[in-house]
Amino acid sequence: MSRLGAAAEKADSRQRPQMKVNEYKENQNIAYVSLRPVQTTVLIKTAKVYLAPFSLSNYQLDQLMCPKSLLEKNSNNEIVCKKTKIKKTCRRIIPPKMKTTSSKSESTLQYSSSVVHTESNKLQPKRTADAMNLSVDVESSQDGDSDEDITPGLDDFSGLSPYERKRLKNISENADFFASLQLSESAARLREIIEKRPPPKSKRKKPKRENAVGCRRSMRLLKVDPLGVSLPATPTPPTLVADETPLLPPGPLAMTFENQEDNERFKGFLHTWAGMNKPSSKNTEKGLSSIKSYRANLNGMVISEDTVYKVTTGPIFSMALHPSETRTLVAVGAKFGQVGLCDLTQQPKEDGVYVFHPHSQPVSCLYFSPANPAHILSLSYDGTLRCGDFSRAIFEEVYRNERSSFSSFDFLSEDASTLIVGHWDGNMSVVDRRTPGTSYEKLTSSSMGKIRTVHVHPVHRQYFITAGLRDTHIYDARQLKSRGSQPLISLTEHTKSIASAYFSPVTGNRVVTTCADCNLRIFDSSCVSYKIPLLTTIRHNTFTGRWLTRFQAMWDPKQEDCVIVGSMAHPRRVEIFHETGKRVHSFGGECLVSVCSINAMHPTRYILAGGNSSGKIHVFMNEKSC
């Protein structure tokens, strides 16, 4: 108190204005100290005070942490000195050490601590102008009479502004209001009520009624007859038959046709075909006739109702004309493994149709043997290649491979003893009919994903051409390997899948391809070299859709610079184009009312046969031949 008295007397002598500041009291619920306002007097012109809250977290009962302080300035450049009051819970209070530095007319009060580094390091008193004498009163409750501080009235703060006085008053009133609500006690009572609440009781189960009527149910679904009459037995559902046709047994098959009632007529038919075991002695190697004479002969070919035959029950996939000069014989291969033979010279015409079943799946390729015209070779998707011998009335099995599906074949030798067979999976087989058994001599894989047609060069028979998805390759049979056979030449001008590719029948100097991009392309194959040039592109609609057999452009064996192909145009027709792209002739008539996808021309006579997708053939021939 002596220090406070001396300070007061000194203040009176200097007649300095006084100011009231607030001091905060420590909150018992937190680790830092809060200060409550007490009145103090500023005796010096300028004062700098560094305050920091006490921290009790790192100290025991006999030690306290020195508080941090921040420098606060008011608008009048007056320094507020805050007084700290420690609660009773801290029984032993060590006041902070005070270090006072005075100079000529300035004094500075600094609080220092050996534990806590205050932020005053940044605000050291480097530019003090006036001296200050500070008087600090530290109140401590040594006797422990009360835990509450005495809050001064608002009238004591005469130095504060009206706004600050009103704010302090609101704070005090709010604190008293929340204390009167006793929220903590209410929360404790609610917590006890919730914890003591009994668990919910289980719902009481309703007893079942003994004489209750159940839900109505259909007596038909319960299979109960309300009249007491026994219900008929439920019919067993029919067993579903697999759509796949089973393979025929291996080995030779008897040549039996569908209508076996007239055996005498069938024996006469076999005798007629067996008599044609020798080719015609007429010279068939003639030079090309002029386009004028060729067009004139084509104009004489007509169709009539007598030359339209219903041969098979399914779409026609392949067709061949017998090279006989005296009889007109047409052979067709159908979708369901049928091979139909039609003799146009037989009257009535129904007696000239014979249908056989040597295969179980579509017959995609059909040829008469060049060495023996009484033999007809047929290839099917079912992985079999058979030869129909009319002299013995059997279908011999030439090649069989149940693991693969065949697409096309051709003769590598003129005597028809060696064959090249194309597979749908891109493989190729070399078959020699002279060796016993029904296996291949060589099986090779190609770079093509699929093979649709295979055709051998008519002069250089070691070369053959294959048509696939978008590739047309020419191979040398002498260079075939078991794995990865590489083609000699690749024709890469096609943009979509290719239906067929054929050499010209006499010299092999041309190649015609049928592509799904609605183009017929003709290449110059007179020199089998590194590349075969493209000669002509003929725009032609080849989009047959799903239900029609795909078009295959074929060469006319009598005029190898002309191509025969079906048409989607109306009225229905079969067209012939020259290798230059000009249309030579169109076959049509009232009897041609369907699309002929597969066509074949007689090698020496002016006879054209076209097959549609319903099993009918339409034959155009000269009126003299009819």
Side-chain angles (χ1 to χ4, degrees):
M1 297 296 294
S2 61
R3 291 184 181 180
L4 293 176
E9 293 175 358
K10 204 170 185 179
D12 294 338
S13 63
R14 295 187 180 182
Q15 295 180 0
R16 294 296 181 183
Q18 295 181 358
M19 186 183 70
K20 299 176 182 179
V21 297
N22 298 333
E23 185 177 3
Y24 297 91
K25 182 180 178 182
E26 177 189 3
N27 190 355
Q28 297 179 1
N29 296 329
I30 60 175
Y32 296 97
V33 176
S34 63
L35 304 178
R36 285 196 167 185
V38 295
Q39 183 177 359
T40 186
T41 304
V42 178
L43 304 178
I44 309 301
K45 180 180 179 180
T46 304
K48 295 184 179 180
V49 180
Y50 299 87
L51 301 177
F54 282 99
S55 177
L56 305 179
S57 60
N58 297 329
Y59 285 86
Q60 298 177 0
L61 294 176
D62 58 346
Q63 293 182 352
L64 287 177
M65 191 173 184
C66 186
K68 280 188 178 182
S69 63
L70 296 175
L71 181 62
E72 297 183 358
K73 290 184 179 182
N74 59 2
S75 60
N76 297 325
N77 294 326
E78 295 181 353
I79 304 302
V80 180
C81 180
K82 299 184 179 180
K83 183 177 180 181
T84 305
K85 183 177 181 180
I86 308 303
K87 287 189 175 182
K88 181 179 178 180
T89 54
C90 302
R91 297 182 179 180
R92 184 177 179 182
I93 302 175
I94 300 176
K97 296 181 180 181
M98 302 175 60
K99 183 186 289 186
T100 307
T101 305
S102 61
S103 62
K104 197 182 259 190
S105 62
E106 43 184 39
S107 107
T108 305
L109 179 62
Q110 297 180 349
Y111 289 91
S112 62
S113 175
S114 61
V115 181
V116 180
H117 299 280
T118 64
E119 295 181 358
S120 63
N121 296 331
K122 299 180 182 179
L123 302 173
Q124 293 180 0
K126 293 182 180 180
R127 47 180 184 175
T128 56
D130 299 328
M132 179 187 71
N133 293 326
L134 180 65
S135 175
V136 179
D137 290 341
V138 179
E139 295 182 358
S140 60
S141 71
Q142 298 178 357
D143 51 355
D145 294 338
S146 176
D147 292 337
E148 297 181 358
D149 296 335
I150 299 174
T151 304
L154 296 176
D155 297 336
D156 297 336
F157 302 99
S158 59
L160 297 178
S161 63
Y163 170 76
E164 292 293 336
R165 296 169 62 86
K166 186 176 182 180
R167 186 177 67 84
L168 294 175
K169 182 179 179 181
N170 291 339
I171 292 174
S172 178
E173 292 177 355
N174 291 339
D176 295 340
F177 173 74
F178 281 108
S180 64
L181 293 178
Q182 298 179 356
L183 296 178
S184 59
E185 298 177 0
S186 301
R189 287 196 301 270
L190 290 175
R191 192 177 298 109
E192 293 177 0
I193 293 173
I194 293 174
E195 292 177 355
K196 295 179 180 180
R197 180 178 296 176
K201 297 180 180 180
S202 60
K203 295 183 179 180
R204 185 174 60 87
K205 296 182 179 180
K206 296 181 180 181
K208 295 183 178 180
R209 298 180 182 178
E210 298 180 356
N211 298 329
V213 179
C215 298
R216 294 185 58 191
R217 295 185 179 182
S218 173
M219 302 185 71
R220 177 181 59 84
L221 297 178
L222 295 175
K223 298 181 179 180
V224 176
D225 188 4
L227 302 179
V229 182
S230 60
L231 295 176
T234 304
T236 57
T239 57
L240 298 178
V241 181
D243 192 16
E244 297 182 359
T245 305
L247 295 177
L248 297 177
L253 299 177
M255 188 176 289
T256 57
F257 65 102
E258 291 181 350
N259 188 7
Q260 299 181 1
E261 297 177 357
D262 194 351
N263 291 330
E264 296 295 332
R265 180 171 60 88
F266 178 63
K267 291 180 180 180
F269 170 77
L270 294 177
H271 180 73
T272 300
W273 279 73
M276 293 186 295
N277 55 359
K278 294 181 180 180
S280 175
S281 60
K282 186 177 180 180
N283 186 12
T284 58
E285 295 182 0
K286 295 182 179 179
L288 296 178
S289 59
S290 63
I291 295 297
K292 277 188 179 182
S293 60
Y294 180 66
R295 184 181 286 111
N297 291 324
L298 295 178
N299 290 332
M301 299 171 61
V302 295
I303 188 174
S304 63
E305 293 182 359
D306 294 336
T307 58
V308 177
Y309 290 80
K310 174 67 174 178
V311 182
T312 61
T313 57
I316 293 176
F317 277 43
S318 57
M319 181 177 291
L321 275 171
H322 196 276
S324 174
E325 296 288 340
T326 58
R327 304 181 71 90
T328 304
L329 302 174
V330 182
V332 296
K335 180 179 180 179
F336 302 109
Q338 302 167 326
V339 174
L341 300 175
C342 182
D343 187 359
L344 274 69
T345 58
Q346 185 75 28
Q347 294 297 330
K349 65 178 184 179
E350 290 79 8
D351 295 341
V353 177
Y354 300 90
V355 181
F356 308 94
H357 286 83
H359 303 281
S360 59
Q361 294 183 18
V363 179
S364 58
C365 193
L366 199 66
Y367 284 113
F368 286 100
S369 173
N372 187 354
H375 293 174
I376 182 171
L377 285 86
S378 60
L379 178 140
S380 175
Y381 288 6
D382 60 4
T384 58
L385 174 62
R386 296 183 180 272
C387 175
D389 188 356
F390 294 99
S391 60
R392 296 188 299 164
I394 59 172
F395 284 99
E396 292 181 338
E397 192 171 60
V398 177
Y399 177 38
R400 186 183 184 92
N401 188 348
E402 296 182 358
R403 298 181 179 179
S404 180
S405 180
F406 301 157
S407 59
S408 180
F409 82 98
D410 200 1
F411 303 102
L412 283 174
S413 59
E414 294 183 357
D415 59 355
S417 59
T418 309
L419 311 174
I420 180 72
V421 179
H423 301 233
W424 279 111
D425 57 3
N427 294 333
M428 297 175 290
S429 302
V430 177
V431 180
D432 192 347
R433 299 175 62 187
R434 296 168 295 185
T435 59
T438 59
S439 182
Y440 54 82
E441 296 296 326
K442 182 185 295 185
L443 178 64
T444 179
S445 62
S446 66
S447 58
M448 305 177 67
K450 183 181 293 187
I451 295 178
R452 284 194 170 93
T453 60
V454 175
H455 194 246
V456 177
H457 196 283
V459 179
H460 307 287
R461 304 193 74 88
Q462 70 271 17
Y463 300 125
F464 62 92
I465 187 170
T466 61
L469 292 176
R470 293 190 180 182
D471 305 323
T472 301
H473 294 169
I474 296 178
Y475 291 90
D476 189 346
R478 300 169 297 182
Q479 299 180 3
L480 293 179
K481 300 178 181 179
S482 59
R483 292 184 179 179
S485 297
Q486 297 298 323
L488 298 177
I489 303 170
S490 297
L491 308 180
T492 59
E493 288 79 4
H494 306 87
T495 59
K496 291 187 178 181
S497 64
I498 306 166
S500 63
Y502 295 104
F503 284 108
S504 55
V506 179
T507 61
N509 293 334
R510 299 289 184 269
V511 171
V512 60
T513 61
T514 307
C515 185
D517 59 2
C518 295
N519 284 314
L520 307 179
R521 293 177 174 85
I522 298 177
F523 298 86
D524 183 7
S525 59
S526 57
C527 180
V528 180
S529 59
Y530 177 76
K531 186 176 182 180
I532 293 179
L534 175 64
L535 294 180
T536 309
T537 299
I538 304 172
R539 188 67 180 174
H540 187 72
N541 185 8
T542 59
F543 185 74
T544 56
R546 177 182 179 182
W547 306 108
L548 300 181
T549 308
R550 299 185 67 178
F551 289 160
Q552 294 185 4
M554 306 287 294
W555 294 100
D556 186 351
K558 299 183 300 298
Q559 193 81 15
E560 66 169 3
D561 57 354
C562 292
V563 177
I564 306 168
V565 65
S567 176
M568 295 293 294
H570 291 275
R572 301 303 185 188
R573 66 193 71 173
V574 177
E575 296 179 326
I576 296 181
F577 293 94
H578 192 259
E579 64 180 9
T580 58
K582 296 181 180 180
R583 182 184 289 105
V584 177
H585 186 72
S586 293
F587 295 97
E590 295 180 356
C591 297
L592 182 61
V593 294
S594 60
V595 178
C596 292
S597 302
I598 306 298
N599 301 278
M601 183 72 81
H602 195 278
T604 57
R605 302 164 59 188
Y606 283 93
I607 299 175
L608 172 67
N612 64 7
S613 296
S614 62
K616 288 185 178 181
I617 61 172
H618 302 77
V619 181
F620 295 85
M621 60 176 57
N622 291 326
E623 295 181 357
K624 297 179 181 179
S625 301
C626 296

